[in-house]
Structure formats: structure tokens, C-alpha cells
Amino acid sequence: MQSPVIIKLGGGLITLKDQLCTPKMSIIRNLAQSIHHLVKMNKRVIIVHGAGSFGHLKAKSWKLHEGRTDEGLPIEDEFTSQVEAIKSVRQDMKNLNQLVTNEFNKLGMSTISHSPHTWAFETGRNFIGDLNRFNLEENSIHFTHGDVVDCKGTTEFGILSGDDICYRLAVELNASHMIFAMGGAPGVMTLPPSNPETKLIPLWTPNKIFQGQHQSDIDVTGGIYLKLNVAEKISQHVPMVWIIDGECPERIEEVVQNGDTYGTRIISESP
Ligand code: IP8
């Protein structure tokens, strides 16, 4: 079976992160077109997408990343319990997934979606879940995403990030490429993207020191820090690991076709 190209579409790329359940449709459409070119070249593609404003906002206010708790929950809200909030976030994530896959279907690509709460348990990259389901039906693009999953013990549930799913898919399915497409920056930057002095780091090796920006007021998962940590670990197994600007989706094609683009390549050892 062909080694897959795994593409993570960041939540901040495909949604407006601070406006509840607001997709960026034109960006999703452009991504679908670029990825279509790869599919027409007979590349096997697996797509993992983040949650953005379809997941993080409600998860944060209902503390879903902390597991079962009674403390500090909203008092006047559309939900009365964490259980109701979980149901709603899972549905919102299904809706986002549908919006994304529709754009691929419109271009004639067949897609299969795997909502993690139906097959995965526990959080972090050691989550439990059989990834063989992504090997079936080779002619379809398989999709999955970050989600609220069930956990054993007193936490009962938690947030499984799409980045951790990427790690497992890339390693267990022997990916040829792992491409993180983000919004708002051409790759990993020396300073937060809003700083005019910021510069792209074209080659990232482990333990580089940098000042990232993590919107911890919005994100319940790890933002750029989790991404870099996961990307470093993936680069020990996968030859081509990149963090690129998904608003220029032709860069995804360039990585796969030429092995190079404007973005940050992650390698496991210093050259
Ligand atoms: O955006 C988070 O997934 P991520 C999932 O891939 C939820 O980290 C539901 C907040």
C-alpha cells in the first residue's frame, strides 16, 4: 500500500477562531482544489483538521479539556451540564467536517470521515484507537479531526487534539509526508507573527529556542507548541515534515512534488 501524505488543516486556518462556528469557506475551497491536484497524481491523502471556533470556545467555557468537574462552569448558558456541552461540541465538529468534505466532494473526490469519539479513547498521543480503518477503501480521502473523546477513570472525557492523531497516523501508517497547514504565518517564525521584526525559520531542528504565540485564552490544546513538539517527534520517522501557510495551498503541492517550498521544514537531527 502506498505511503500516505498526511495533511493537517489547522483550526485557525479553516475557521475564524474567535467567532463561534464560523468557517472560512473560500480558504477551504482553495485547499480542496490544491489537494485535488495531489489526488489526480494518484497520491494517497489523509486529512486531519483542527477545531477552531467549532470546538475550542465551548470546550474552554465548559472545561471539557479538564474532564468531569463541577467547579467554575457557566451559570447562565444554553447548556446546563458538561454532558450537554459535549454533545454540542461533537455535533459542531461533525458539522465542520461536513462543510470541509463537501468541498472535496463537489470536485469529484470521494471522502470517508472518522469522528474520533466513535473510535478513539483517552487523550494525548498514546490514545487508544485502531488506525487500520484509514487503510480501508484506498480510493477515498480519509478525514478525521480533533474531538471530545471518552476517557477511563474519574476524568471521564477529554479533548483529543488533531495534532496527536497526526502523530499516530504518520508513524503507524508510514507516511511519506506530514504537512501542517496553518493560518496567519508562512511557517515557524522567530517572533510572534504580529511583530514586524519576525522572520521565517526555514529549517527547524529540535530544541531551537523561539517565542511562539499561543492563544491560551481560546485554545484548549497546545497551539504552536504542541504542533512543534509533535512535528519534531514525527520527523524521527517521516522524511518530509513541514509547517506551511495554508492560505497559499499551492505550497502543499510543492512540498509533495518538489520536496521544497516557502515554509518551515522540520528535521530530527542538526544537518
Ligand atoms: O484543534 C481540538 O482539536 P485541535 C478539538 O486539533 C476540540 O487541537 C473539540 C477542541
Side-chain angles (χ1 to χ4, degrees):
M1 194 175 242
Q2 199 192 142
S3 289
V5 173
I6 303 178
I7 303 170
K8 166 92 196 270
L9 306 179
L13 171 66
I14 59 171
T15 77
L16 282 174
K17 277 199 98 168
D18 48 6
Q19 284 179 41
L20 191 62
C21 297
T22 311
K24 293 193 204 158
M25 287 316 297
S26 63
I27 291 202
I28 296 172
R29 223 164 274 138
N30 292 342
L31 286 160
Q33 268 163 9
S34 281
I35 293 168
H36 193 201
H37 295 151
L38 298 181
V39 172
K40 282 193 286 198
M41 287 160 49
N42 286 325
K43 297 288 174 196
R44 180 178 163 215
V45 176
I46 297 177
I47 296 179
V48 181
H49 65 80
S53 57
F54 286 68
H56 289 271
L57 299 175
K58 284 180 193 170
K60 177 102 188 162
S61 54
W62 281 90
K63 296 191 168 189
L64 303 184
H65 53 304
E66 292 182 17
R68 170 75 71 197
T69 180
D70 291 326
E71 274 156 44
L73 300 178
I75 299 161
E76 279 176 34
D77 195 75
E78 57 179 314
F79 314 122
T80 57
S81 66
Q82 283 186 309
V83 173
E84 280 180 29
I86 292 170
K87 236 176 116 183
S88 170
V89 172
R90 285 176 173 167
Q91 186 56 49
D92 289 346
M93 287 308 299
K94 277 192 157 178
N95 296 347
L96 174 60
N97 180 258
Q98 183 96 58
L99 289 170
V100 177
T101 52
N102 266 348
E103 294 306 317
F104 285 73
N105 299 147
K106 278 188 208 161
L107 296 173
M109 291 173 271
S110 120
T111 59
I112 300 180
S113 295
H114 307 268
S115 269
H117 70 267
T118 64
W119 60 272
F121 307 89
E122 307 294 332
T123 60
R125 68 195 155 85
N126 295 323
F127 72 88
I128 299 163
D130 182 0
L131 300 177
N132 252 325
R133 59 196 304 124
F134 292 87
N135 285 329
L136 309 172
E137 311 228 23
E138 238 187 297
N139 295 326
S140 294
I141 308 187
H142 290 254
F143 278 79
T144 189
H145 51 79
D147 206 358
V148 190
V149 295
D150 292 337
C151 298
K152 283 199 284 287
T154 49
T155 49
E156 294 181 39
F157 51 82
I159 301 289
L160 177 59
S161 171
D163 290 342
D164 288 316
I165 304 178
C166 285
Y167 171 82
R168 291 283 295 282
L169 283 170
V171 173
E172 289 183 28
L173 273 50
N174 258 322
S176 59
H177 297 74
M178 175 71 237
I179 303 170
F180 292 93
M182 309 195 303
V188 185
M189 309 302 288
T190 51
L191 294 165
S194 54
N195 188 318
E197 303 283 294
T198 193
K199 286 197 185 71
L200 175 75
I201 301 173
L203 194 63
W204 176 272
T205 47
N207 307 322
K208 266 212 169 133
I209 296 168
F210 90 120
Q211 245 181 302
Q213 193 178 40
H214 176 215
Q215 284 185 298
S216 53
D217 49 334
I218 293 182
D219 265 12
V220 293
T221 49
I224 185 70
Y225 296 104
L226 173 62
K227 207 164 295 318
L228 265 174
N229 186 280
V230 166
E232 282 179 7
K233 292 201 164 70
I234 294 174
S235 71
Q236 293 167 6
H237 306 264
V238 174
M240 278 285 165
V241 182
W242 284 80
I243 297 183
I244 59 125
D245 183 355
E247 291 186 32
C248 302
E250 66 283 357
R251 293 181 189 164
I252 299 176
E253 293 171 65
E254 285 168 10
V255 168
V256 177
Q257 273 181 291
N258 313 333
D260 199 18
T261 195
Y262 188 65
T264 302
R265 183 173 175 195
I266 318 288
I267 55 170
S268 61
E269 296 292 336
S270 299

